[in-house]
């Protein structure tokens, strides 16, 4: 281990995976900065942060869910529905739009938690069902078209304005990530979430309140998806019932790239953020590459390249971990 | 009195598991709780700890009537349980596991420094000094158990229940565990010790409660209960269990069915030669780590044999994977039922016939009538105790699970059956039953290769015993030379 890595105090193979994603992120940023003229421009940085904050929020909720050993497929549908609810509420007050969207997310999260803990349905199935229901509800409320937000109550400030030079969505994401880090690392409930992911039955026998904790985790994931929906509506000026398709996959990919095991019991808030930023950065770089004019990649090709990149990162991580775990 | 459970009854799906059972424990005493598998020990403990609810009866703990709805309640009241499969969160650190659910806090946040110090301090009282920041999974079974006990102590337990705590420990580790139990006693903590090994019970326990068929049949100070009497209470009848099995007959030199010569692979198996003859039980003995299980895996094709030869029924064979060995009529009942034997949630029927399904097909569909016939036949032939063939296998006792596994292989009609520790984790009564069963199968022509750590078992059942030491076969004792002294001296070979 080089002296550069020593301060990170690698105690487990998970730490190694998390470290590798952070290094990969810095590598990509360096690559972009050297290769493209306007990569390190305030315009690029600010719009990057403004747009990707939504995905970062959803990825954080997903990280908590995956740490418990579950999955939440409903986040994309929830965000779409929440954007519609936020848009519909925005004429009354900017806060009504904000709270309305979050409440919509909470409702789906509560439903997920109830189905999973009380009715004992697998998270995959439960959240697949609520995903479809959330999309449907969003389309119903929006009457099958996008719903313009009110520009009179200041609702659009949330998604479009800056504070201290940075986009407000980025501040929101930052605050939520700090909160998430506190919860996972510093509060007992965070350790309980990890222990539950390590083995639900064991956690129960150790006296942890498994059902209550799981329900809270799905509630949080729903709330964060709702918040992402609010930002979506505010940023683009409309509630978008057909947005959000594939967001859950982006979130899952961010979490996995961040070194969180899909089997649960391990994970980190910081690495999840790095994972989300890394995936977003690949998109950003592909856009710049198109801009250079030498190649022209359609959105479809970009998707293929992103998938390939994701695969490479995950395979490399698995190899690193295998080597670290070898005697 | 610290704990008094009286008149406890419990039925599952109409079948009585407990019938007016009782259990009393005084402070600072070690109570042995013994009984055959299915006697009701686990059910009684699970009712005490809030995993199950009782149908009838009363429980008083520390002078108060209690009725725990879930494990957390029992823990809060001061009852800690250390299960056989030690229940800790493997990826979390030692310090976290010790404090989980009662973390030391400062300003509402976990005080990691205090947690670390607390963990180190409590482990130090048991003379254990380890890096408490490392995940529990990094440590061996004995250390994990100490961590679980340390957790109980930290949670201010007044009663610690240990379910077969020595089953995965070696002799030195058992000594450490017993010292820990004495430390607990000195601080006034009572222990319920569930175990099968009589010597251990007599070494550490003050009193004994014996259960049979869901009832409490005897309570006595340990010193007033001779071993024979204890066994008699457990089994409910005079049972010269093992003596009856020992075949006092001459072993005729029957044809060799399976033979390996100078077999080796890696460092665990260096040079092993052994033969298994038709219709005999061939024992494979040796200390832990002597390469017994690894040898079995070589024969079975689970690992590649790098050196030496294998002959099955006279023909030289080389198995690349278990399917090859199975096709040749070799079966393997592995050591750890839970890991690679049973599928816990599946029914007895499915567990028994899973390896057989391809043969049971008629026009691509499982022939239910033939499946039923096979399942019913083996349930009867092996005396498997169950409510119905469709009962999930996890609800059976260890001995009955083992029988289902045996049936699975027997149904494939093997000519050689390798059994690795066939009686591990099952009680004396079921043990002798399993051994009798193997004996009967051998008498009917099956060749059995039996790996066992228990000398009595080998002495009682085997027609010959090959002894391994450090991956090398050092002795092959025929029946007439088979004595405890001979086995021990062979096993001690090369061991300083």
């Amino acid at each position: 281990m080089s002296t550069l890595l020593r301060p990170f105090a690698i105690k487990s193979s998970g730490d190694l995976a998390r470290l590798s994603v952070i290094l990969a992120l810095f590598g990509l940023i360096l690559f972009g900065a050297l290769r493209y003229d306007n990569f390190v421009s305030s315009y690029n940085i600010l719009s990057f942060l403004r747009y990707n904050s939504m995905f970062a929020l959803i990825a954080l909720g997903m990280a908590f869910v995956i740490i418990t050993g579950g999955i939440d497929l409903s986040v994309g549908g929830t965000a779409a529905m929440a954007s519609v609810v936020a848009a519909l509420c925005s004429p009354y007050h900017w806060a009504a739009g904000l709270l309305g969207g979050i409440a919509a997310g909470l409702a789906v999260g509560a439903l997920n938690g109830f189905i999973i803990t009380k009715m004992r349905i697998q998270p995959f199935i439960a959240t697949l069902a609520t995903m479809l229901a959330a999309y449907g509800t969003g389309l119903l409320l929006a009457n099958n078209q996008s719903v313009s937000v009110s520009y009179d109550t200041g609702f659009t400030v949330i998604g479009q304005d800056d504070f201290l030079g940075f986009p407000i969505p980025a501040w929101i994401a930052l605050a939520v990530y700090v909160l998430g880090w506190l919860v996972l690392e510093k509060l007992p409930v965070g350790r309980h979430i990890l222990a539950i992911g390590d083995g639900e039955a064991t956690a129960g026998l150790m006296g942890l309140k498994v059902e209550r904790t799981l329900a809270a985790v799905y509630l949080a994931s729903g709330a964060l998806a709702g918040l992402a929906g609010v930002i979506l509506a505010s940023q683009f000026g409309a509630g978008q019932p057909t947005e959000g398709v594939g967001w859950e996959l982006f979130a899952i990919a961010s979490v996995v790239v961040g070194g969180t095991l899909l089997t649960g019991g391990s994970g980190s808030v910081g690495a999840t953020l790095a994972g989300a930023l890394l995936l977003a950065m690949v998109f950003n770089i592909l856009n710049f590459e198109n801009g250079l004019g030498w190649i022209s990649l359609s959105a479809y090709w970009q998707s293929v390249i992103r998938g390939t990149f994701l695969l490479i990162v995950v395979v490399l991580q698995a190899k690193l971990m295998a080597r670290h775990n070898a005697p | 009195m610290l704990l008094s459970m009286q008149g406890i009854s419990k039925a599952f799906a109409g079948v009585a598991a407990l019938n007016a059972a009782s259990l009393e424990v005084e402070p600072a005493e070690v109570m042995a709780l013994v009984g055959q598998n299915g006697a009701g020990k686990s059910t009684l403990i699970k009712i005490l700890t809030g995993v199950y609810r009782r149908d009838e009866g009363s429980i008083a703990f520390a002078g108060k009537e209690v009725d725990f709805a879930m494990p957390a309640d029992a823990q809060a009241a001061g009852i800690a349980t250390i299960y056989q499969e030690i229940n800790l969160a493997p990826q979390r650190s030692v310090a976290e596991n010790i404090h989980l659910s009662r973390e030391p806090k400062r300003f509402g946040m976990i005080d990691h420094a205090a947690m670390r110090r607390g963990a180190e301090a409590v482990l130090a009282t048991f003379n254990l000094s380890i890096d408490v920041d490392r995940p529990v999974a990094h440590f061996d079974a004995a250390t994990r158990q100490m961590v679980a006990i340390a957790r109980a102590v930290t949670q201010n337990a007044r009663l610690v229940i240990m379910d077969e705590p020595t089953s995965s420990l070696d002799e030195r580790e058992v000594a450490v565990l017993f010292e820990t139990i004495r430390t607990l006693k000195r601080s006034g903590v009572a222990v319920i010790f569930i175990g099968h090994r009589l010597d251990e019970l007599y070494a550490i326990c003050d009193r004994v409660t014996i259960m049979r068929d869901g009832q409490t049949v005897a309570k006595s100070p340990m010193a007033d209960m001779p071993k024979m009497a204890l066994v008699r209470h457990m089994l409910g009848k005079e049972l010269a269990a093992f003596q009856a099995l020992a075949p006092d007959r001459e072993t005729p030199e029957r044809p060799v069915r399976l033979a390996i010569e100078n077999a080796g692979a890696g460092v665990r198996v260096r040079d092993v030669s052994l033969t298994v003859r038709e219709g005999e039980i061939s024992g494979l003995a040796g200390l832990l780590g002597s390469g017994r299980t690894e040898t079995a895996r070589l024969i079975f094709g689970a690992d590649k044999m790098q050196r030496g030869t294998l002959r099955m029924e006279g023909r030289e064979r080389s198995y690349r994977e278990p399917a090859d060995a199975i096709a040749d009529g070799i079966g393997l009942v592995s050591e750890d039922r839970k890991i690679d034997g049973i599928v816990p949630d599946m029914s007895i029927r499915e567990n028994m016939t899973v390896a057989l399904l391809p043969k049971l097909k008629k026009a691509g569909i499982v022939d239910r009538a033939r499946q039923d016939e096979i399942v019913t036949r083996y349930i009867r032939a092996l005396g498997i105790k169950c409510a119905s063939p469709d009962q999930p296998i996890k609800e059976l006792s260890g001995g009955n699970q083992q029988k289902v596994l045996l049936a699975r292989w027997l149904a494939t009609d093997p000519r050689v059956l390798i059994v690795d520790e066939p009686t591990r984790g099952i009680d004396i009564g079921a043990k002798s039953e399993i051994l009798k069963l193997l004996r009967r199968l051998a008498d009917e022509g099956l060749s059995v290769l039996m790996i066992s750590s228990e000398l009595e078992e080998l002495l009682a059942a085997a027609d010959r015993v090959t002894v391994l030491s450090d991956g090398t076969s050092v002795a092959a004792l025929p029946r007439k030379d088979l004595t405890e002294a001979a086995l021990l001296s062979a096993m001690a070979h090369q061991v300083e």
Side-chain angles (χ1 to χ4, degrees):
Chain A
M1 193 72 30
S2 76
T3 47
L4 177 73
L5 306 187
R6 195 165 292 149
F8 288 91
I10 291 178
K11 291 228 179 210
S12 71
S13 49
D15 291 341
L16 200 63
R18 281 162 219 145
L19 183 59
S20 67
V21 62
I22 292 169
L23 290 178
L25 178 60
F26 280 114
L28 268 191
I29 293 173
L30 196 65
F31 173 83
L34 293 176
R35 186 167 167 85
Y36 313 111
D37 284 340
N38 294 320
F39 191 76
V40 195
S41 63
S42 67
Y43 176 77
N44 183 44
I45 293 173
L46 294 185
S47 52
F48 177 85
L49 292 177
R50 191 186 308 280
Y51 181 64
N52 288 301
S53 297
M54 291 184 291
F55 300 117
L57 287 173
I58 285 183
L60 181 67
M62 187 68 78
F64 274 90
V65 169
I66 289 180
I67 287 171
T68 66
I71 196 101
D72 186 351
L73 300 179
S74 69
V75 289
T78 304
M81 179 182 93
S83 78
V84 172
V85 173
L88 292 173
C89 294
S90 65
Y92 303 102
H93 192 274
W94 66 267
L98 175 68
L99 297 177
I102 294 176
L106 280 171
V108 180
L111 186 60
N112 283 335
F114 176 79
I115 298 173
I116 290 162
T117 61
K118 291 295 173 202
M119 300 171 73
R120 307 222 151 265
I121 305 292
Q122 290 290 321
F124 188 93
I125 305 296
T127 59
L128 190 64
T130 52
M131 170 183 92
L132 295 171
Y135 274 125
T137 310
L139 286 165
L140 279 175
L141 290 173
N143 233 339
N144 214 4
Q145 56 201 356
S146 61
V147 181
S148 178
V149 304
S150 159
Y151 285 83
D152 306 328
T153 54
F155 177 71
T156 52
V157 167
I158 300 171
Q160 297 176 4
D161 283 18
D162 292 352
F163 176 70
L164 297 180
F166 281 95
I168 288 176
W171 284 111
I172 293 175
L174 182 69
V176 170
Y177 265 82
V178 169
L179 196 66
W181 176 81
L182 269 175
V183 169
L184 191 66
E185 301 296 331
K186 295 293 171 190
L187 296 187
V189 68
R191 313 323 283 178
H192 298 180
I193 288 169
L194 284 158
I196 287 168
D198 228 356
E200 237 175 89
T202 297
L205 289 172
M206 289 173 94
L208 303 183
K209 308 246 185 288
V210 175
E211 290 191 356
R212 192 190 300 175
T213 312
L214 281 178
V217 165
Y218 284 95
L219 198 62
S221 179
L224 289 174
L227 187 55
V230 170
I231 294 174
L232 176 71
S234 171
Q235 202 167 104
F236 295 95
Q240 320 239 13
T242 55
E243 258 301 325
V245 176
W247 284 19
E248 65 283 346
L249 300 180
F250 183 91
I252 293 167
S254 304
V255 173
V256 170
V257 167
T260 298
L261 300 175
L262 277 178
T263 45
S266 148
S268 134
V269 169
T272 299
L273 180 60
L277 292 178
L278 182 65
L279 288 183
M281 191 61 72
V282 175
F283 239 1
N284 194 236
I285 282 183
L286 286 173
N287 281 331
F288 270 92
E289 196 62 42
N290 269 342
L292 285 184
W294 293 336
I295 51 167
S296 174
L297 292 169
S298 68
Y300 308 129
W301 273 113
Q302 295 198 10
S303 216
V304 172
I305 290 174
R306 217 146 64 126
T308 312
F309 179 80
L310 176 65
L311 199 61
I312 292 170
V313 170
V314 173
V315 168
L316 284 179
Q317 277 181 352
K319 281 196 185 293
L320 267 176
M321 285 200 207
R323 194 182 306 162
H324 181 79
N325 286 341
Chain B
M1 187 156 311
L2 179 66
L3 170 71
S4 170
M5 300 177 76
Q6 303 297 339
I8 307 289
S9 297
K10 173 79 183 174
F12 293 104
V15 180
L18 287 178
N19 182 6
S22 64
L23 174 67
E24 290 127 26
V25 182
E26 301 283 349
E29 83 169 347
V30 183
M31 170 62 83
L33 182 59
V34 299
Q36 295 200 62
N37 282 335
K41 294 168 303 197
S42 319
T43 310
L44 188 66
I45 292 305
K46 284 182 174 161
I47 283 173
L48 172 58
T49 54
V51 178
Y52 297 151
R53 305 301 292 271
R54 60 184 185 257
D55 296 341
E56 281 171 46
S58 66
I59 305 175
F61 182 70
K64 277 193 298 245
E65 281 289 313
V66 292
D67 183 11
F68 303 123
M70 51 185 190
D73 296 344
Q75 256 178 48
I79 300 178
T81 314
I82 295 159
Y83 293 92
Q84 209 172 343
E85 316 77 21
I86 304 157
N87 276 286
L88 296 171
Q91 296 181 57
R92 306 264 49 85
S93 74
V94 170
E96 276 181 49
N97 266 289
I98 288 178
H99 289 98
L100 209 61
S101 86
R102 285 195 185 181
E103 295 85 354
K105 276 173 281 193
R106 215 170 49 175
F107 313 121
M109 284 186 242
I110 298 180
D111 186 345
H112 284 280
M115 196 159 83
R116 201 171 298 130
R117 278 196 309 274
E120 279 166 356
V122 63
L123 288 172
T125 61
F126 304 130
N127 293 318
L128 191 64
S129 166
I130 54 174
D131 181 355
V132 297
D133 286 334
R134 289 194 27 198
V136 159
H138 285 203
F139 298 98
D140 59 23
T143 310
R144 292 206 298 273
Q145 200 160 46
M146 303 293 277
V147 172
I149 295 171
R151 172 178 165 79
V153 172
T154 312
Q155 314 255 330
N156 296 319
R158 299 171 64 185
L159 174 64
V160 177
I161 301 162
M162 298 188 187
D163 187 5
E164 295 193 39
T166 60
S167 59
S168 53
L169 305 187
D170 67 27
E171 230 167 280
R172 185 188 53 83
E173 292 166 339
V174 168
V176 174
L177 174 70
F178 284 3
E179 202 41 57
T180 309
I181 292 176
R182 288 187 196 104
T183 310
L184 287 177
K185 269 183 72 168
R186 276 196 293 276
S187 56
V189 176
V191 175
I192 296 177
F193 188 105
I194 303 170
H196 292 313
R197 297 181 189 161
L198 299 185
D199 291 339
E200 289 173 1
L201 298 177
Y202 281 93
I204 192 71
C205 298
D206 304 309
R207 291 201 301 150
V208 58
T209 298
I210 305 172
M211 296 190 67
R212 186 177 74 231
D213 298 333
Q215 292 179 309
T216 305
V217 292
K219 300 173 194 177
S220 153
M222 208 75 219
D224 301 342
M225 174 72 73
K227 274 189 195 176
M228 274 313 292
L230 192 150
V231 173
R232 200 179 308 130
H233 279 302
M234 269 168 61
L235 302 184
K237 55 194 169 199
E238 290 282 355
L239 197 108
F242 291 113
Q243 287 92 322
L245 284 163
D248 259 342
R249 54 201 165 79
E250 284 300 304
T251 320
E253 287 296 287
R254 275 177 287 215
V256 173
R257 185 167 278 162
L258 172 80
I260 56 171
E261 257 177 77
N262 307 113
V267 292
R268 305 295 297 273
V269 183
R270 296 171 191 275
D271 181 5
V272 175
S273 302
L274 64 83
T275 58
V276 188
R277 289 166 188 273
E278 285 175 17
E280 72 168 16
I281 299 180
S282 179
L284 190 54
L287 301 172
L288 270 179
S290 59
R292 293 167 307 177
T293 298
E294 292 80 358
T295 300
R297 287 177 60 87
L298 285 191
I299 295 174
F300 194 54
D303 293 327
K304 180 112 186 68
M305 197 184 280
Q306 291 163 350
R307 301 178 292 275
T309 56
L310 182 150
R311 284 173 177 280
M312 175 68 183
E313 294 172 331
R315 282 175 305 158
E316 190 165 333
R317 310 290 286 162
S318 159
Y319 302 132
R320 275 168 306 141
E321 51 184 5
D324 299 341
I326 293 168
D328 256 11
I330 300 178
L332 173 78
V333 181
S334 58
E335 180 178 14
D336 198 328
R337 287 191 293 279
K338 289 199 177 101
I339 291 177
D340 38 28
I342 62 168
V343 188
D345 289 312
M346 277 176 28
S347 67
I348 296 167
R349 172 204 308 283
E350 288 164 309
N351 268 287
M352 204 182 280
T353 55
V354 65
L356 209 60
L357 289 177
K359 288 194 196 164
L360 287 178
K361 271 190 300 203
K362 203 163 69 181
I365 298 167
V366 175
D367 182 345
R368 185 61 185 252
R370 277 195 61 203
Q371 194 187 23
D372 275 340
E373 181 218 309
I374 289 170
V375 171
T376 324
R377 169 147 51 96
Y378 281 105
I379 287 180
R380 195 175 312 135
L382 307 193
I384 296 170
K385 290 198 188 86
C386 59
S388 95
D390 293 307
Q391 197 177 4
I393 193 170
K394 66 180 175 191
E395 290 176 5
L396 299 189
S397 66
N400 281 311
Q401 289 181 2
Q402 188 69 296
K403 286 184 189 171
V404 174
L405 279 188
L406 277 174
R408 178 195 291 173
W409 285 109
L410 294 175
T412 66
D413 209 8
R415 294 185 297 284
V416 174
L417 187 64
I418 307 171
V419 287
D420 194 351
E421 301 285 6
T423 65
R424 166 152 304 173
I426 60 187
D427 61 77
I428 297 178
K431 262 181 191 171
S432 73
E433 223 179 305
I434 294 276
L435 291 180
K436 266 188 216 157
L437 185 62
L438 290 173
R439 182 75 258 163
R440 204 179 78 213
L441 293 167
D443 289 343
E444 289 165 15
L446 181 70
S447 301
V448 179
L449 179 62
M450 180 173 87
I451 299 176
S452 175
S453 300
E454 297 191 26
L455 293 185
E456 303 95 324
E457 210 166 278
L458 291 165
L459 290 170
D463 293 302
R464 77 182 61 247
V465 174
T466 304
V467 182
L468 297 189
S469 172
D470 199 17
T472 309
S473 46
V474 293
L477 304 166
R479 175 89 232 161
K480 61 181 168 49
D481 300 336
L482 208 51
T483 62
E484 192 171 336
L487 270 176
L488 281 174
S489 77
M491 283 165 68
H493 181 88
Q494 287 179 1
V495 179
E496 295 304 313

